[in-house]
Amino acid sequence: MRKTSRFPVVLAAAALAAAAGLATAAPAGAQTAQVLQVTQTSTVYAWIDGWGGGTVTSSPAGISCHTTAWDPYSSEEPPANSTGPCSASFPVGTTVTFTATPDPGSGVNGGPDPASLTVRSGYNAVWAMFCPTDGLCSAG
């Protein structure tokens, strides 16, 4: 009867196991690769119209846009443009909810429109109109 040695088979199996271990182990001093997550943002703009005063705010926070009431029939100059942050950047996909709060003596005559929006790349805007409670303006 002929004798065969198992030594070459065992040696080959050990070599394959060692090679597999090397393929999965990181070299000494090597750093693992980090995946950089980039979040795309887009700007949302708040536009306020009318002769009344009030503030449009956003949730999440970022927009707190205020305008001051004025009488277009008086000799006074109109107030400066809206104050406060009237635009803000949010991550694309974020749902932003808006609230329009009139100043004393004014009311909300339109908006905020839309009341909430999902931020997308490109143009994003909300609009609101404030009018004096004495009826000096109307939406439309």
Side-chain angles (χ1 to χ4, degrees):
M1 179 168 222
R2 186 173 163 195
K3 268 188 160 177
T4 58
S5 172
R6 290 188 161 183
F7 181 71
V9 172
V10 172
L11 186 57
L16 287 173
L22 287 175
T24 59
Q31 295 180 359
T32 58
Q34 294 181 357
V35 176
L36 178 62
Q37 177 108 13
V38 177
T39 302
Q40 183 183 7
T41 62
S42 193
T43 302
V44 176
Y45 300 91
W47 300 100
I48 299 178
D49 199 2
W51 297 330
T55 304
V56 173
T57 56
S58 67
S59 177
I63 293 176
S64 183
C65 188
H66 181 263
T67 192
T68 303
W70 71 289
D71 182 350
Y73 302 110
S74 74
S75 60
E76 295 177 26
E77 289 295 315
N81 292 337
S82 301
T83 59
C86 294
S87 64
S89 291
F90 297 96
V92 170
T94 301
T95 298
V96 181
T97 303
F98 302 96
T99 304
T101 307
D103 290 346
S106 294
V108 177
N109 201 37
D113 185 24
S116 65
L117 63 83
T118 300
V119 178
R120 57 188 165 78
S121 60
Y123 186 75
N124 299 273
V126 62
W127 168 88
M129 177 183 271
F130 297 102
C131 289
T133 53
D134 64 8
L136 281 175
C137 67
S138 64

